[in-house]
Amino acid sequence: MRLKSLREEVLDANLELVRRGLVLYTFGNVSGISTEHGLVAIKPSGVPYEKMTASDIVITNLDGNLIEGDLRPSSDLATHLELYKKFPQIGGVAHTHSEFATAWAQARRPIPCFGTTHADYFHGDVPVTACLSEDEIASDYEKNTGIVICRVFEKLRFEDVPGVLVAGHGPFCWGTSAADAAHHAVILEAVARMAYYTVGISANAEPISNALHGKALPPEAWTHGLLRTGNRE
Amino acid sequence: MRLKSLREEVLDANLELVRRGLVLYTFGNVSGISTEHGLVAIKPSGVPYEKMTASDIVITNLDGNLIEGDLRPSSDLATHLELYKKFPQIGGVAHTHSEFATAWAQARRPIPCFGTTHADYFHGDVPVTACLSEDEIASDYEKNTGIVICRVFEKLRFEDVPGVLVAGHGPFCWGTSAADAAHHAVILEAVARMAYYTVGISANAEPISNALHGKALPPEAWTHGLLRTGNRE
Amino acid sequence: MRLKSLREEVLDANLELVRRGLVLYTFGNVSGISTEHGLVAIKPSGVPYEKMTASDIVITNLDGNLIEGDLRPSSDLATHLELYKKFPQIGGVAHTHSEFATAWAQARRPIPCFGTTHADYFHGDVPVTACLSEDEIASDYEKNTGIVICRVFEKLRFEDVPGVLVAGHGPFCWGTSAADAAHHAVILEAVARMAYYTVGISANAEPISNALHGKALPPEAWTHGLLRTGNRE
Amino acid sequence: MRLKSLREEVLDANLELVRRGLVLYTFGNVSGISTEHGLVAIKPSGVPYEKMTASDIVITNLDGNLIEGDLRPSSDLATHLELYKKFPQIGGVAHTHSEFATAWAQARRPIPCFGTTHADYFHGDVPVTACLSEDEIASDYEKNTGIVICRVFEKLRFEDVPGVLVAGHGPFCWGTSAADAAHHAVILEAVARMAYYTVGISANAEPISNALHGKALPPEAWTHGLLRTGNRE
């Protein structure tokens, strides 16, 4: 079995979504990349989380061709691949339909940075993509989802904001590893929930000043796969 | 004991509502049909979920006559029977008072299709029935509940939208089997919850375009009892 | 030890509040009455729920004098006693600070009857008391709380609406027994939560018609301690 | 190992935040002081709660110098120290990012006293600090956080309101001991949640009258480390 430790990390990152209450049934998927081998390990489709093992994790190349595995890769694979190709420093991608982040995606409103919990992880708003056109939906929906995400990051550094809301769909997050990507997905849900409560208390709540934002991971951290540690503990 | 495997499936579908946090005390009920025998298996009335066994499941015919069982059938039986008679391709019906779906039913507002989580299961709005008249309430309330549901589906395909909100009451869902009906009840609650948050973030949130809707189960799937598998995993 | 079975029922009714997530720390209290003996059994003050035993339950008479027990009775005893004196058919009283019922009490708005879940247990609005005057607060706050509750029921039958919201404080419920009172407290919280969601979806949501209301327990049921069974199961 | 019982109390107070669902990952921190020794015991940085032991707790003096321990103290230490210096009668400080209290802090609105649950612990509004200036953020952010908190209490008694919301950040609470501080953090979150629901039901909800407020702990209670016991049990 190739890439054993990557498979195990990807399995554990997928299970982290379950442990943190982010998934219903088989929703959600996390992948990790071995840049050395140019290979991606991703959750299989159709396997319940409680039965999933490291050998169920599917290995593909960056063109999405199956390299190892008996199962189909997650249906969102093509979105993950676009992100790996556009953001070569990232080590993992996590996608969920977690309820509060999805609600902001459905309302097509960026999540304002209302406090330090948000600012320690996401610098400024968590943005929303444009809606896909009918053509983009009809052909290669998953790949085009990746492309509209990347379009948002033409004006934004992916290192500064390791997540995005796909309009009418849900969040994608990334990080220096599969574990880091899943961690960001968990934090994003908490941030989305608190932002929801914040606008419920004060519809005109103001984002915090830029000065309060934590420091972004330096570019070399992404290259070397360093995990960000929590700033507020 | 007749229809043993149907009883077991109906028991398990009822317990799925408990496992997913959709019921309080003895609320809720799921039934399944054997079209071959023209018999319906439904949750008994007055038995706590934690003590319920397959032999407690009550068997009736489509006229509601008790065929096998020592217990009374669920008080909502007559509603289930109307649905089986009107939608002969369905294999199961699930009714709950799950809190967010019930809140939409109480507000008498259809649940708009705000995202792909919704669109993968329900094509367009989840509709609300008309209110029952005083006469319809006074005589045969449960049967009339079935009739107002069916009236909604004169202009809508039951295969496209496997669920409905009964005004001032709560949701009914159906599927190719009792398990599929319960699955739809769980998804509907998640969809109702996310739609609630969505309108909280943006009171004027717009439904997604038709192009983003998943493909409905083909008519033959309903006939053959195929389970839909999740599209977003 | 006197009134052993009443003590055990009162203990279990108090623990039901814990099992259903209605209490934080030592909040909440349930009592039961033996009309035969003119004695009330109530939760002690200052004992954590996880250590509480039947022998910790305190027995008092209707004047609030300690008859048996080494502990102080719950600080809300005087409110319970007013209810027993005014509503002699009831067998139990439950008080909580459960979060949604308390929020309606804090907003000083009656809970409208938006659906059948509510109507099966509470006929019409769950009312709110008047605010206590400064004098009523300063002297005998707990007894005066009972008196303002009873004032609401001069125009309402306690059998029709087995619960009330004390303005700026929280809910009190009653029933044919301590278990029934606790059951009503659990249902009230669910009803309060769904009503909260309902007004969030539609600020102008309308109550259901009177015709949809379930039938109240007949007066003799209260006298004979019969438990109402769920209507929607 | 010095201050063994203080370390154990501080460990347990930190774990209380976990047991009550107030923390995500390693968020949050509680400290306790030995006024006799002029030493503070605080949660270490970077240790998961599930592995934390009493020997991991870090001991510093009131200048923040490490006295005993192999780990770094919580990054919020300087805020805790400001509170100990300004409020010498307190025995413990607790900081969380609990979701509802943080939402009020993010909305920069004080939590109104809507009911007796609030009034039994916090006399009047739970206040919000001013926002820190750019300079206060850039140099010694944590210490300056303590200073803006103390500024609020120039016009308010810390014994009357044992907690505060730091604007755009989250709550800090204190008490007669580390356990009491954590207890106040748990109560504050419940109070913040019910206040959120209250304004959702009635945007113009009114605070309760002063007469309904519980009695504050007498000043000597703070000096002698007495725990307040719940008033509503």
Side-chain angles (χ1 to χ4, degrees):
Chain A
M1 194 167 72
R2 296 168 72 167
L3 300 173
K4 188 155 182 289
S5 73
L6 180 63
R7 284 167 177 276
E8 281 167 0
E9 192 199 333
V10 167
L11 173 65
D12 189 62
N14 275 287
L15 296 180
E16 176 69 358
L17 302 184
V18 180
R19 285 190 294 264
R20 299 292 169 172
L22 265 71
V23 296
L24 180 64
Y25 292 119
T26 57
F27 291 10
N29 42 68
V30 184
S31 69
I33 191 169
S34 164
T35 42
E36 183 193 342
H37 301 87
L39 295 177
V40 168
I42 192 165
K43 185 192 161 210
S45 186
V47 180
Y49 282 105
E50 53 276 26
K51 298 188 176 171
M52 203 176 290
T53 64
S55 63
D56 293 331
I57 300 299
V58 179
I59 307 291
T60 77
N61 65 18
L62 280 163
D63 296 324
N65 298 123
L66 189 71
I67 301 300
E68 196 177 70
D70 301 324
L71 299 159
R72 277 180 307 122
S74 164
S75 60
D76 292 304
L77 171 65
T79 312
H80 292 234
L81 296 179
E82 284 307 301
L83 300 181
Y84 287 122
K85 284 187 265 188
K86 185 77 175 189
F87 310 151
Q89 295 86 345
I90 66 177
V93 172
H95 169 53
T96 79
H97 286 205
S98 69
E99 297 190 342
F100 284 89
T102 298
W104 285 92
Q106 293 191 157
R108 300 178 209 163
R109 274 186 62 184
I111 305 176
C113 182
F114 285 132
T116 58
T117 323
H118 179 128
D120 285 346
Y121 292 90
F122 301 95
H123 298 268
D125 290 358
V126 177
V128 188
T129 67
C131 293
L132 276 73
S133 69
E134 280 199 35
D135 281 357
E136 287 168 333
I137 293 166
S139 71
D140 246 336
Y141 169 71
E142 285 80 12
K143 178 178 176 153
N144 287 325
T145 297
I147 290 171
V148 294
I149 292 173
C150 293
R151 218 170 278 151
V152 171
F153 286 84
E154 287 168 6
K155 295 181 180 168
L156 207 56
R157 295 176 64 229
F158 75 87
E159 302 96 329
D160 288 346
V161 185
V164 69
L165 308 172
V166 175
H169 183 170
F172 281 82
C173 289
W174 46 87
T176 56
S177 64
D180 194 35
H183 184 69
H184 286 156
V186 175
I187 297 290
L188 178 59
E189 179 64 3
V191 160
R193 191 159 49 230
M194 292 199 288
Y196 172 81
Y197 299 145
T198 302
V199 296
I201 294 166
S202 176
N204 303 313
E206 295 273 340
I208 59 172
S209 70
N210 270 324
L212 254 182
H213 279 67
K215 287 180 179 56
L217 276 184
E220 65 275 19
W222 287 90
T223 315
H224 295 104
L226 300 180
L227 267 174
R228 186 195 312 245
T229 59
N231 297 334
R232 305 284 168 192
E233 59 181 32
Chain B
M1 194 167 72
R2 295 168 71 168
L3 300 172
K4 188 155 181 291
S5 73
L6 180 63
R7 284 167 178 276
E8 281 166 0
E9 192 200 334
V10 168
L11 173 65
D12 189 62
N14 275 287
L15 296 180
E16 175 69 357
L17 302 184
V18 180
R19 284 190 294 264
R20 299 292 169 172
L22 265 71
V23 297
L24 179 64
Y25 291 120
T26 57
F27 291 10
N29 43 69
V30 184
S31 69
I33 191 169
S34 164
T35 43
E36 184 193 342
H37 301 88
L39 295 177
V40 168
I42 193 166
K43 184 193 162 210
S45 186
V47 179
Y49 281 106
E50 53 276 25
K51 298 187 177 173
M52 204 177 288
T53 65
S55 64
D56 293 331
I57 300 299
V58 180
I59 308 289
T60 78
N61 65 18
L62 279 164
D63 296 325
N65 297 123
L66 190 70
I67 301 300
E68 196 176 72
D70 301 324
L71 299 159
R72 278 180 306 123
S74 164
S75 59
D76 292 304
L77 172 65
T79 312
H80 292 234
L81 295 179
E82 284 306 303
L83 300 181
Y84 287 121
K85 285 187 265 187
K86 185 77 175 188
F87 311 151
Q89 295 86 345
I90 65 177
V93 172
H95 169 53
T96 78
H97 286 205
S98 70
E99 297 191 342
F100 284 89
T102 298
W104 285 92
Q106 293 191 158
R108 301 178 209 163
R109 274 186 62 184
I111 305 177
C113 182
F114 286 132
T116 57
T117 323
H118 179 127
D120 285 346
Y121 292 90
F122 302 95
H123 297 267
D125 290 358
V126 176
V128 188
T129 67
C131 294
L132 276 73
S133 70
E134 280 199 33
D135 282 356
E136 287 169 331
I137 292 167
S139 72
D140 246 337
Y141 169 70
E142 285 80 13
K143 179 178 174 153
N144 287 326
T145 296
I147 290 171
V148 294
I149 292 174
C150 294
R151 217 170 280 150
V152 171
F153 285 84
E154 287 168 6
K155 296 182 179 166
L156 207 56
R157 296 176 64 229
F158 75 87
E159 304 95 327
D160 288 346
V161 184
V164 69
L165 308 172
V166 176
H169 183 170
F172 281 82
C173 290
W174 45 88
T176 56
S177 64
D180 195 35
H183 184 69
H184 286 157
V186 175
I187 297 288
L188 179 59
E189 179 64 3
V191 160
R193 190 159 49 230
M194 291 199 288
Y196 172 82
Y197 300 145
T198 302
V199 296
I201 294 166
S202 175
N204 304 313
E206 295 273 340
I208 59 171
S209 70
N210 270 324
L212 254 184
H213 279 67
K215 288 181 177 56
L217 275 184
E220 65 274 18
W222 287 89
T223 315
H224 294 103
L226 299 179
L227 266 173
R228 185 195 311 244
T229 58
N231 297 333
R232 304 285 167 191
E233 59 183 31
Chain C
M1 194 167 73
R2 297 169 71 167
L3 300 172
K4 187 155 182 292
S5 73
L6 180 63
R7 284 166 177 276
E8 280 166 0
E9 192 200 333
V10 167
L11 173 66
D12 190 62
N14 275 287
L15 295 180
E16 176 69 357
L17 302 185
V18 180
R19 285 190 293 264
R20 300 291 169 173
L22 266 71
V23 296
L24 179 64
Y25 291 120
T26 57
F27 290 12
N29 43 69
V30 185
S31 69
I33 190 168
S34 164
T35 43
E36 184 193 342
H37 301 88
L39 295 178
V40 168
I42 192 165
K43 183 192 162 212
S45 185
V47 179
Y49 281 105
E50 54 275 26
K51 298 187 177 173
M52 204 177 288
T53 65
S55 64
D56 292 331
I57 301 298
V58 179
I59 308 291
T60 78
N61 64 18
L62 279 163
D63 296 324
N65 299 123
L66 190 72
I67 301 301
E68 197 176 72
D70 301 324
L71 299 159
R72 279 179 306 122
S74 163
S75 59
D76 293 303
L77 171 65
T79 312
H80 292 234
L81 295 179
E82 284 307 301
L83 300 181
Y84 287 121
K85 284 186 266 188
K86 184 79 176 189
F87 311 152
Q89 295 87 344
I90 65 177
V93 172
H95 169 53
T96 78
H97 286 205
S98 69
E99 296 191 343
F100 284 89
T102 298
W104 285 91
Q106 292 190 158
R108 300 178 209 163
R109 275 186 61 184
I111 304 177
C113 181
F114 286 132
T116 58
T117 322
H118 180 128
D120 285 347
Y121 292 90
F122 301 94
H123 298 268
D125 290 358
V126 176
V128 188
T129 67
C131 294
L132 276 73
S133 69
E134 280 199 34
D135 281 357
E136 287 169 333
I137 292 166
S139 72
D140 247 336
Y141 169 71
E142 284 79 13
K143 179 179 175 150
N144 286 326
T145 296
I147 290 171
V148 294
I149 292 174
C150 294
R151 217 171 279 151
V152 171
F153 285 84
E154 287 168 7
K155 297 182 179 166
L156 206 57
R157 296 176 64 229
F158 76 87
E159 303 95 329
D160 289 345
V161 184
V164 70
L165 307 172
V166 176
H169 183 169
F172 281 82
C173 289
W174 45 88
T176 57
S177 63
D180 195 34
H183 184 70
H184 286 157
V186 176
I187 297 289
L188 178 59
E189 179 65 3
V191 160
R193 191 160 47 230
M194 292 199 287
Y196 172 82
Y197 300 146
T198 302
V199 296
I201 294 167
S202 175
N204 304 314
E206 295 274 340
I208 60 171
S209 71
N210 271 324
L212 254 183
H213 280 68
K215 287 181 178 54
L217 275 184
E220 65 274 19
W222 288 89
T223 315
H224 294 104
L226 299 180
L227 267 174
R228 183 195 312 247
T229 60
N231 296 334
R232 305 283 169 193
E233 59 182 31
Chain D
M1 194 168 72
R2 296 167 72 167
L3 300 172
K4 186 153 183 294
S5 72
L6 179 63
R7 283 166 178 277
E8 280 166 1
E9 193 199 334
V10 167
L11 173 66
D12 190 62
N14 275 287
L15 296 180
E16 176 69 358
L17 302 185
V18 180
R19 285 191 294 264
R20 300 291 170 173
L22 265 71
V23 296
L24 179 64
Y25 292 119
T26 56
F27 291 11
N29 43 68
V30 184
S31 68
I33 192 168
S34 164
T35 42
E36 183 193 343
H37 301 87
L39 295 177
V40 168
I42 192 164
K43 185 193 162 211
S45 186
V47 179
Y49 282 105
E50 53 276 25
K51 298 188 177 172
M52 204 177 289
T53 65
S55 64
D56 293 330
I57 301 297
V58 180
I59 308 291
T60 76
N61 64 18
L62 279 164
D63 296 324
N65 298 123
L66 189 72
I67 301 299
E68 197 176 71
D70 300 324
L71 299 159
R72 277 179 307 122
S74 164
S75 59
D76 292 304
L77 171 65
T79 313
H80 292 234
L81 296 179
E82 284 308 301
L83 300 180
Y84 286 121
K85 285 186 265 188
K86 184 78 175 189
F87 310 152
Q89 295 86 345
I90 66 178
V93 172
H95 169 53
T96 79
H97 287 205
S98 69
E99 296 191 343
F100 284 89
T102 299
W104 285 92
Q106 293 191 158
R108 299 178 209 165
R109 275 186 61 184
I111 305 177
C113 182
F114 286 132
T116 58
T117 322
H118 179 128
D120 285 347
Y121 292 91
F122 301 95
H123 298 269
D125 291 358
V126 176
V128 188
T129 67
C131 294
L132 277 72
S133 68
E134 280 198 35
D135 281 357
E136 287 169 333
I137 293 166
S139 72
D140 246 336
Y141 169 71
E142 286 79 13
K143 178 178 176 154
N144 287 326
T145 296
I147 290 171
V148 294
I149 292 174
C150 294
R151 219 170 278 152
V152 171
F153 285 84
E154 287 169 6
K155 295 182 180 167
L156 206 57
R157 295 176 64 229
F158 76 87
E159 302 95 329
D160 289 346
V161 184
V164 69
L165 307 172
V166 176
H169 183 171
F172 281 81
C173 289
W174 46 86
T176 57
S177 63
D180 195 34
H183 185 69
H184 286 157
V186 175
I187 297 289
L188 178 59
E189 179 64 3
V191 160
R193 191 160 48 230
M194 293 199 287
Y196 172 82
Y197 300 145
T198 302
V199 297
I201 293 167
S202 175
N204 304 313
E206 295 274 339
I208 59 172
S209 70
N210 270 324
L212 253 183
H213 280 69
K215 288 181 179 55
L217 276 184
E220 64 275 18
W222 287 89
T223 314
H224 294 104
L226 299 180
L227 266 174
R228 184 196 312 248
T229 59
N231 297 334
R232 304 283 168 193
E233 59 182 30

